[in-house]
Amino acid sequence: MAATTRTRPSRRWRTSARNTCSRSWAWTARTRGSSVHHDLSAGPVDPSAPPRFAGKVAFVTGGARGQGRSHALRLAREGADIALVDLGSAGQVNDPDYNTATSADLKQTREDVLALGRRCVSFEVDVRDYDRLAWAAGDTAARLGGLDFVIANAGITDGFHRTWELPVENWQTMIDINLTGVFYTCKATVPHLIERGAGSALVLISSGVGLKAVPQLAHYVAAKMALRGLSTSLAQELGEYGIRCNTVLPGGINTEMTTAMVELNHIPREQLLAGFRAGQLINTDLEVADTTAAVLWLLSDEARLVTGLEMTVDAGESKK
């Protein structure tokens, strides 16, 4: 058998390797939490390891019920402390007349988070009020020790109107809550994410109609499409800080928003849900847990290099 000759790597290669390792270490050191690089392809997670969001703080708007409540509780189960924001007694939504989350809803979700052994603060704030949102974000950072994640989830829907028959007041309410309210949320929280540093993340909740428009909801469609642009701009601007921003676009889900559509349009609930299913490739009701799974993945280390993504959770509706 021929002898194997071992050669010493060239100086150029060794220098390159040192530089690569230095850059990798610098990035890891900037990332909050463990400085150990995790091999995400290494198989099942060690059950003795801490929860994947241990030590993290999440700020969730529209957190009292529906999808926001689901996101908050799942994050808490996986180790995060939570700041809940919802309207409660801070105001009301007219044009359309909309049954919003109550103080009791917010209190219940806060108690459920606390029961999971996590810290939780709650705020009754109208997302149309930037000053109060900024105060809530600052108070969260002060009381919970910072801010890692933002889920901009608060939103409303409306009855069906042809665009030229849509009341001006309804248009304005929709844009103020579903678009400007998300901008205000980002403006209020992003400075705290930058202070926290690399590894922080935002998820903006758009809608399947933000990708594939439907008739008679022009104001809702316009707001949800605009969120995609807002999210992409944020991803571009925050990349230099190692902060990510992504969008989730859910299909029709059976929540309090579905109840609002039933009431505003005077149609049976099952008829509305059947319409959702008929528009999908997979003829199955979507659940809030489906959207929550996507949101948490986007916040997790498994998605550490995923930013600017528009993730549909719609049973294939956008492809039909």
Side-chain angles (χ1 to χ4, degrees):
M1 179 180 295
T4 301
T5 303
R6 299 184 63 184
T7 58
R8 181 186 178 98
S10 69
R11 178 175 297 179
R12 180 178 179 182
W13 183 91
R14 284 182 279 131
T15 301
S16 174
R18 283 198 301 270
N19 289 343
T20 300
C21 290
S22 297
R23 287 194 297 270
S24 177
W25 179 89
W27 172 261
T28 304
R30 288 199 303 271
T31 303
R32 184 173 177 270
S34 173
S35 61
V36 178
H37 174 71
H38 297 284
D39 181 359
L40 301 178
S41 65
V45 175
D46 181 353
S48 66
R52 63 175 169 167
F53 297 115
K56 303 295 187 180
V57 177
F59 188 92
V60 185
T61 67
R65 64 184 192 181
Q67 293 185 60
R69 169 183 163 84
S70 175
H71 305 334
L73 292 179
R74 176 76 180 274
L75 279 165
R77 289 190 190 98
E78 300 204 32
D81 296 322
I82 306 295
L84 299 168
V85 176
D86 220 315
L87 186 59
S89 62
Q92 59 185 13
V93 174
N94 301 312
D95 306 312
D97 293 326
Y98 197 87
N99 291 322
T100 56
T102 65
S103 299
D105 293 330
L106 190 59
K107 179 182 178 182
Q108 184 62 61
T109 301
R110 179 175 181 272
E111 290 176 352
D112 290 343
V113 171
L114 293 172
L116 292 168
R118 306 312 313 162
R119 295 181 297 166
C120 185
V121 294
S122 61
F123 305 92
E124 297 190 8
V125 174
D126 191 328
V127 295
R128 294 170 289 186
D129 185 341
Y130 169 73
D131 290 338
R132 289 289 292 173
L133 268 177
W135 169 79
D139 196 54
T140 296
R143 293 167 65 184
L144 299 184
L147 215 168
D148 298 278
F149 304 137
V150 175
I151 304 173
N153 170 79
I156 64 167
T157 187
D158 195 359
F160 299 133
H161 303 276
R162 292 186 295 185
T163 303
W164 59 94
E165 296 171 343
L166 176 63
V168 170
E169 297 82 4
N170 290 43
W171 170 275
Q172 195 61 58
T173 300
M174 184 69 68
I175 298 302
D176 287 348
I177 295 173
N178 286 20
L179 177 57
T180 304
V182 176
F183 162 67
Y184 284 171
T185 299
C186 296
K187 180 175 173 61
T189 57
V190 163
H192 298 285
L193 299 184
I194 291 174
E195 183 175 353
R196 193 65 132 184
S200 301
L202 304 96
V203 175
L204 311 189
I205 306 300
S206 179
S207 166
V209 305
L211 193 64
K212 183 180 179 181
V214 296
Q216 300 187 38
L217 279 173
H219 49 342
Y220 186 79
V221 170
K224 293 300 186 177
M225 284 192 170
L227 288 186
R228 295 167 53 208
L230 175 61
S231 181
T232 301
S233 291
L234 281 166
Q236 292 172 333
E237 294 164 359
L238 292 172
E240 65 177 289
Y241 301 98
I243 298 172
R244 302 176 296 108
C245 184
N246 295 289
T247 312
V248 170
L249 297 89
I253 300 178
N254 190 10
T255 64
E256 288 80 4
M257 187 172 283
T258 305
T259 301
M261 295 184 72
V262 167
E263 294 172 349
L264 290 165
N265 294 292
H266 308 291
I267 59 176
R269 190 182 202 90
E270 181 50 41
Q271 180 180 331
L272 186 62
L273 294 174
F276 292 162
R277 293 191 298 270
Q280 301 168 180
L281 294 178
I282 301 174
N283 188 14
T284 300
D285 286 334
L286 290 161
E287 304 289 345
V288 290
D290 298 315
T291 303
T292 293
V295 169
L296 266 68
W297 180 77
L298 287 170
L299 295 176
S300 74
D301 286 344
E302 293 177 348
R304 67 192 184 93
L305 295 181
V306 178
T307 192
L309 180 68
E310 298 171 349
M311 177 178 281
T312 58
V313 184
D314 63 358
E317 181 180 4
S318 56
K319 301 300 182 184
K320 187 169 181 178

